[in-house]
């Protein structure tokens, strides 16, 4: 009786490990298939609603349809500033620019954001998942995920092993 429960435990643990890797990988792959971009939040300019380390999913759309108070991702007009995610305070369709501000910042951004710099609007925020899932896309992360799957398969095999009756 005890060995049977132990084998079930091994199989269940192995299955859970494999499912966990599949779920995490799907969080990385499926959004791209559905035309979303993923970004890892590196600064605190949008805290507390979008803490450092969050994973955000951004969906492209017509910049003219962006509403005030919507959070957008855009390429910075400053050299080497990368991608910024801030809240829209004004969408000037006639000029083709956004005025933006980080929630944690006292003042709005000094430069307007031209429509050409617009990437998309933030649709989902997953606090704390940015560093982890970004790490999974690295070579070491992929190796670790493969090792977890192999370990899960080995646990399943160990859980299904039974000594056969001998004749």
């Amino acid at each position: 009786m005890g060995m049977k429960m132990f084998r079930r435990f091994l199989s269940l643990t192995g299955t859970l490990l494999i499912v966990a890797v599949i779920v995490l990988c799907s969080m990385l792959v499926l959004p791209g298939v559905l035309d979303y971009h993923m970004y890892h939040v590196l600064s605190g300019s949008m805290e507390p609603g979008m803490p450092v380390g969050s994973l955000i999913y951004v969906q492209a759309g017509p910049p003219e349809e962006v509403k005030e108070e919507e959070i957008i991702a855009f390429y910075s007009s400053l050299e080497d500033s990368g991608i910024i995610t801030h809240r829209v305070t004004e969408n000037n369709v006639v000029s083709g620019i956004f005025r933006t501000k980080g929630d944690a910042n006292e003042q709005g951004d000094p430069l307007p954001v031209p429509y050409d710099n617009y990437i998309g609007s933030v649709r989902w925020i997953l606090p704390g998942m940015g560093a982890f899932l970004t790490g999974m896309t690295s070579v070491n992360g992929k190796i670790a995920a493969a090792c977890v799957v192999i370990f899960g398969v080995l646990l399943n095999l160990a859980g299904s092993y039974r000594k056969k009756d001998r004749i």
Side-chain angles (χ1 to χ4, degrees), residues 55-137:
L55 180 71
I56 59 170
Y57 292 99
V58 175
Q59 185 179 36
E64 301 82 17
E65 294 179 11
V66 173
K67 308 267 187 273
E68 286 184 16
E69 298 299 311
E70 203 167 312
I71 300 171
I72 64 169
F74 55 91
Y75 297 105
S76 172
S77 296
L78 303 173
E79 260 187 61
D80 296 331
S81 290
I83 295 170
I84 298 174
T85 306
H86 279 175
R87 192 173 301 278
V88 173
T89 58
E90 178 188 350
N91 184 354
N92 189 327
V93 178
V94 174
S95 299
I97 61 165
F98 298 105
R99 291 283 178 184
T100 57
K101 177 185 175 300
D103 288 355
N105 300 341
E106 289 192 23
Q107 297 193 3
D109 297 336
L111 298 175
V113 178
Y115 279 4
D116 286 346
N117 290 23
Y118 171 73
I119 298 170
S121 297
V122 174
R123 298 295 181 220
W124 295 312
I125 302 167
L126 299 175
M129 293 297 289
F132 180 71
L133 288 175
T134 300
M136 279 188 66
T137 63

Side-chain angles (χ1 to χ4, degrees), residues 3 7 157-167:
M3 189 54 105
R7 285 195 313 263
L157 290 173
S160 65
Y161 176 76
R162 295 182 220 183
K163 264 189 171 175
K164 302 288 182 190
D165 292 335
R166 296 187 184 198
I167 299 177

